[in-house]
Amino acid sequence: MPSDMAVDYDGLIPNNVGLNADPRLRRALEQWHPSYLDWWMDRGPDGFQAADVYLRTAVGVDQEGWAKFGYVRMPEYRWGILLAPQVEGRTIGFGAHKGEMAWQEVPGEYRAMLRRLITVQGDTEPASVEQQRRLGATAPSLYDLRNLFQVNVEEARHLWAMVYLLQKYFGRDGREEAEDLLRRRSGDRDTPRLLGAFNERTPDWLAFFMFTFFTDRDGKMQLHALAQSGFDPLSRTCRFMLTEEAHHMFIGQSGIGRVLEAICAAMKKAGIDDPHDIARVRQLGVIDLPTMQKRANMHFSLTLDLFGSELSTNAANAYQAGIKGRYLEDQIDDDHALTGATYPVLRLKDGAIVREEVPALSALNMRLRDDFVADAQSAVERWWNRIVERSGIDYRITLPHVAFNRRIGEFATIEADPEGKVLSAQEWARRRDEFLPSAEDDAFVASLMKPVREPGKFASWIAPPRTGIDNKPGDFEYVKLA
Ligand SMILES: [Fe+2]
Ligand SMILES: [Fe+2]
């Protein structure tokens, strides 16, 4: 039986969970496997299943050297079940069971709650693969094409991770949920994915980079909160997924950074100082900065909806149960029970946005969302605005107010501008295209989406990366097209 660190690659399903010693589970997963492959062929990357892609595969779960790089055809990728090592003597860090030994089995009273959390997390993983499935046709380089596919296979591995938990710990219900994860479809009218942002279209590469920047960052926050879980197998699963998530966000933040670099360089070269001189900037074959801002506004606001309502009894219950913690719970210095604690929440009162102190337990969604906003804000400064600033062009990308363009929570019923000023429905309708991409903006971005397939070459609208994947040279053939 493999140890915690070693991955057994001999069987059909690579794993470090001792699958060979659990024939019932192995049979369940092997039965799920063909449906999974059907899903991948049907709803995974469109048109590149026979290409050789330079991918990294997880071969261990220790800090160093868990990844191996090599050419793989995607349907032959070794999707595996990988958990971070078990921490000896780990105890539950928060809620009513604080200080008790972490659970190795599902506690009966929290079974439904846990199953729901795992199912919702699991549903987002294949959803993003479905959303991105047509992007290969318009990749701006082989480097970017490879990055897209890396994200896709890893999101699919995250699906495996959640399916493992469902099949191992939830019996027949878990097997049914695992089937349903393959049955729902992003954007489908009858059987949509569970969360709104995962039913939106990802029509172009700018949307892909914004998605990996903002929406994968929501994934990071959710995984962090679940990594604190008292249910140890969930915690260990999420801890390993976080190592992969970091790479997805790198692709988003460096992707947008390279788009900004191309814009600024083209503007400088053409002697254009005014970022709002959109027509002239667009003639240079790059996206204009105001359109970048509008796209950021859209993806940021869609992602905020994923955190749910600001005040939530479900979130409070999950916390008290010791199932889902706060971001970096184990680094917070308080009682980890939130007894008598309050938290400031933005609320809508008589049509105005006001700050109100509420019991901290009921405001856990809000708190996680605040942590997300802070994390996104610092990444915008570090990865995006620094690039624009260095070019000398006077422009800054900013994150809109949390009341802007919301469909869930306190601000779902109103319209607000990016500064958080409440607008009448008429004014919103009149000014909407100032804040969010217009049909014309989207058509312009779409017009730039022409594939570039020559190694080392990049589309005009995006700069080459500083360094290659796995330190490969600039003209490396990341994808060998069949
Ligand atoms: Fe994921
Ligand atoms: Fe991700």
Side-chain angles (χ1 to χ4, degrees):
M1 206 176 121
S3 79
D4 256 357
M5 309 296 271
V7 179
D8 174 6
Y9 264 91
D10 294 341
L12 182 62
I13 303 163
N15 71 93
N16 69 342
V17 295
L19 208 51
N20 275 335
D22 190 344
R24 190 200 56 82
L25 174 63
R26 204 179 83 184
R27 217 172 36 245
L29 286 167
E30 286 179 356
Q31 267 166 21
W32 185 79
H33 192 239
S35 326
Y36 166 78
L37 277 180
D38 286 348
W39 167 82
W40 176 266
M41 294 307 286
D42 188 36
R43 305 308 297 172
D46 185 23
F48 293 87
Q49 304 283 6
D52 285 311
V53 187
Y54 194 71
L55 293 175
R56 69 172 189 184
T57 306
V59 293
V61 293
D62 49 340
Q63 282 298 308
E64 288 115 51
W66 62 266
K68 172 182 124 242
F69 288 85
Y71 284 105
V72 185
R73 280 188 214 131
M74 286 184 279
E76 287 149 33
Y77 189 76
R78 303 302 307 277
W79 286 286
I81 297 163
L82 305 166
L83 273 58
Q86 188 164 353
V87 175
E88 199 71 44
R90 179 169 178 261
T91 57
I92 299 167
F94 57 93
H97 302 279
K98 184 176 171 312
E100 295 172 23
M101 288 302 288
W103 300 299
Q104 299 305 325
E105 294 295 331
V106 177
E109 73 256 58
Y110 304 136
R111 189 184 162 84
M113 182 193 283
L114 259 173
R115 195 185 73 201
R116 183 69 190 162
L117 279 172
I118 293 167
T119 300
V120 171
Q121 179 62 42
D123 192 68
T124 66
E125 315 290 358
S128 66
V129 176
E130 293 168 355
Q131 287 171 295
Q132 296 159 12
R133 67 183 299 259
R134 296 199 192 279
L135 291 175
T138 55
S141 72
L142 291 182
Y143 167 87
D144 291 292
L145 187 61
R146 175 267 169 206
N147 282 350
L148 167 70
F149 295 153
Q150 185 69 52
V151 171
N152 292 161
V153 295
E154 287 180 356
E155 297 302 6
R157 201 202 68 73
H158 292 176
L159 169 62
W160 272 92
M162 293 299 121
V163 163
Y164 159 73
L165 293 174
L166 288 169
Q167 301 242 24
K168 176 159 172 87
Y169 295 100
F170 296 89
R172 187 209 180 100
D173 301 352
R175 285 196 293 282
E176 280 167 12
E177 294 285 15
E179 293 295 332
D180 284 345
L181 287 172
L182 297 176
R183 219 168 275 141
R184 286 185 287 271
R185 293 277 185 266
S186 175
D188 193 280
R189 218 159 38 110
D190 302 321
T191 54
R193 292 293 172 183
L194 298 175
L195 302 175
F198 290 90
N199 287 303
E200 296 285 333
R201 291 171 60 242
T202 308
D204 54 53
W205 277 77
L206 187 53
F208 171 66
F209 291 133
M210 289 285 178
F211 185 98
T212 43
F213 184 87
F214 287 115
T215 310
D216 280 80
R217 193 176 304 274
D218 159 68
K220 167 186 160 178
M221 305 312 289
Q222 301 298 339
L223 291 177
H224 264 289
L226 293 172
Q228 301 285 341
S229 184
F231 179 48
D232 204 41
L234 176 60
S235 166
R236 292 171 58 201
T237 303
C238 291
R239 267 183 276 149
F240 186 70
M241 287 163 76
L242 277 165
T243 61
E244 294 165 315
E245 212 56 62
H247 184 59
H248 305 173
M249 279 180 301
F250 162 79
I251 289 170
Q253 56 210 20
S254 63
I256 299 290
R258 289 161 53 216
V259 177
L260 293 170
E261 221 177 295
I263 297 171
C264 295
M267 285 175 67
K268 291 309 259 184
K269 199 168 159 217
I272 303 172
D273 292 325
D274 180 6
H276 298 281
D277 198 347
I278 288 171
R280 276 179 73 208
V281 171
R282 288 184 178 181
Q283 271 172 13
L284 305 173
V286 293
I287 300 164
D288 55 282
L289 292 167
T291 296
M292 297 297 285
Q293 177 66 63
K294 289 194 225 174
R295 285 290 187 105
N297 288 350
M298 185 178 81
H299 285 270
F300 178 73
S301 54
L302 280 173
T303 303
L304 291 185
D305 279 346
L306 291 172
F307 290 87
S309 292
E310 286 82 349
L311 303 183
S312 160
T313 38
N314 281 346
N317 291 341
Y319 186 85
Q320 276 181 312
I323 296 295
K324 185 179 178 184
R326 289 171 290 176
Y327 179 57
L328 305 181
E329 179 80 40
D330 49 6
Q331 295 172 34
I332 299 172
D333 185 20
D334 65 10
D335 69 354
H336 302 280
L338 303 178
T339 322
T342 63
Y343 190 83
V345 172
L346 289 184
R347 305 204 65 187
L348 193 65
K349 282 276 151 73
D350 303 323
I353 299 166
V354 295
R355 190 172 295 270
E356 192 181 280
E357 288 289 328
V358 303
L361 262 180
S362 63
L364 286 160
N365 284 347
M366 176 79 184
R367 183 178 176 127
L368 194 61
R369 197 186 77 193
D370 284 344
D371 289 330
F372 164 82
V373 173
D375 197 64
Q377 181 65 54
S378 88
V380 165
E381 294 307 328
R382 205 173 49 240
W383 287 83
W384 298 359
N385 283 335
R386 201 166 284 173
I387 289 169
V388 181
E389 203 180 292
R390 235 186 272 131
S391 76
I393 290 166
D394 186 18
Y395 197 87
R396 279 170 52 77
I397 306 278
T398 54
L399 295 179
H401 193 277
V402 293
F404 171 78
N405 193 37
R406 299 297 305 284
R407 296 293 166 265
I408 286 178
E410 286 289 315
F411 309 115
T413 55
I414 57 150
E415 297 297 355
D417 72 7
E419 279 72 50
K421 184 171 157 269
V422 179
L423 301 180
S424 69
Q426 294 91 317
E427 198 173 3
W428 168 265
R430 192 168 56 78
R431 297 183 57 196
R432 185 227 170 257
D433 286 0
E434 277 174 46
F435 314 137
L436 290 168
S438 65
E440 197 194 332
D441 297 329
D442 286 346
F444 172 71
V445 173
S447 76
L448 293 177
M449 298 295 134
K450 304 265 161 53
V452 174
R453 301 261 166 92
E454 203 181 315
K457 293 274 187 290
F458 289 80
S460 63
W461 57 271
I462 189 164
R466 288 278 141 73
T467 47
I469 292 293
D470 190 29
N471 282 317
K472 291 296 177 204
D475 59 353
F476 185 72
E477 193 175 5
Y478 287 101
V479 181
K480 291 183 179 163
L481 300 165

